[in-house]
Amino acid sequence: PDLPVKRFHRVLLPLKPVQGKIYHSMLHDLVSQLEQTDDLTFMRNLATFLAKRSALLQVCSNPVAILRGYSELPAKLHALDSLLEETILHKGEKVVLWSFYTASLDAIVERYGRFNPVRYDGTVSDISLRREAVQRFQQDNETMLFVANPAAAGAGLTLHRARVAIYESMSNQAAHYLQSLDRIHRRGQTRDVE
């Protein structure tokens, strides 16, 4: 009850032209397959159907992992340009940026290097490097961006130096999302979080 207010803002984005074509083509293929599948075949191929659903979500994030050579700026990176500029450069706020996909994390870290990001996901397996990332974000005034996968940066992390968290993409597991919310909205946080 003594925690500050937590506010949510949804930003709805249209897909970029090529991104949209890829998505709609894959969606049409998946729907066609599902419509032609009986219950038994569906259950036998459940993992395949779930993988195709996951690929659709990844296309919404950044199609580069699905379509090598994809060169259009994905809609979410385009939106992040203005969100991060406003939040970090104009307001001076640190940001925790969550993404579920490695290709998206790669693109984010590369694109926003000027904010001195630290990364916390499955590609950073050394526990001392993970601790260092958290410490830098919490203590270093130049490290303005914490880029992480909520599956890797779950329970126990304190990132309350930030009051803003952005979800570029999310896991399909509610536990990852719920744990990630509490990284900035926890004891020690003195400001309202968004």
Side-chain angles (χ1 to χ4, degrees):
D2 57 342
L3 287 176
V5 172
K6 180 175 20 176
R7 290 186 184 88
F8 295 87
H9 307 276
R10 284 181 45 180
V11 179
L12 302 176
L13 304 170
L15 297 175
K16 293 295 184 175
V18 174
Q19 187 180 21
K21 286 179 186 173
I22 296 166
Y23 178 84
H24 290 293
S25 174
M26 290 173 62
L27 177 62
H28 175 56
D29 290 346
L30 178 57
V31 169
S32 292
Q33 290 173 0
L34 287 169
E35 288 175 342
Q36 298 171 24
T37 301
D38 60 45
D39 290 346
L40 182 61
T41 306
F42 176 78
M43 291 310 292
R44 250 186 292 176
N45 296 306
L46 182 60
T48 300
F49 289 125
L50 291 175
K52 289 181 179 197
R53 178 189 173 274
S54 180
L56 282 169
L57 295 173
Q58 190 163 5
V59 166
C60 291
S61 175
N62 189 340
V64 74
I66 303 296
L67 181 67
R68 298 290 176 206
Y70 174 80
S71 60
E72 181 181 58
L73 182 66
K76 290 184 178 185
L77 282 180
H78 182 75
L80 281 172
D81 287 351
S82 57
L83 284 171
L84 292 177
E85 183 172 322
E86 173 67 22
T87 306
I88 295 173
L89 292 181
H90 297 298
K91 294 180 179 176
E93 297 283 353
K94 287 183 175 251
V95 173
V96 175
L97 203 160
W98 299 106
S99 181
F100 190 67
Y101 301 105
T102 302
S104 296
L105 291 165
D106 292 342
I108 289 165
V109 168
E110 181 180 331
R111 187 167 183 85
Y112 303 110
R114 69 185 183 272
F115 302 130
N116 299 310
V118 291
R119 183 171 180 162
Y120 197 113
D121 71 324
T123 66
V124 183
S125 57
D126 184 329
I127 195 71
S128 64
L129 293 176
R130 287 183 174 203
R131 275 195 214 113
E132 180 184 324
V134 173
Q135 183 178 19
R136 274 187 53 207
F137 184 73
Q138 286 289 94
Q139 297 175 3
D140 178 23
N141 292 330
E142 302 299 314
T143 303
M144 299 300 289
L145 186 59
F146 188 90
V147 180
N149 180 326
L157 283 186
T158 297
L159 302 171
H160 60 50
R161 183 77 192 273
R163 63 171 213 84
V164 175
I166 298 173
Y167 290 83
E168 185 272 345
S169 56
M170 299 197 303
S171 163
N172 60 359
Q173 295 188 23
H176 293 157
Y177 172 66
L178 294 172
Q179 283 292 328
S180 67
L181 287 175
D182 292 339
R183 299 313 96 219
I184 66 171
H185 191 248
R186 60 188 300 126
R187 187 168 288 151
Q189 179 60 269
T190 58
R191 303 176 298 155
D192 291 353
V193 300
E194 298 181 27

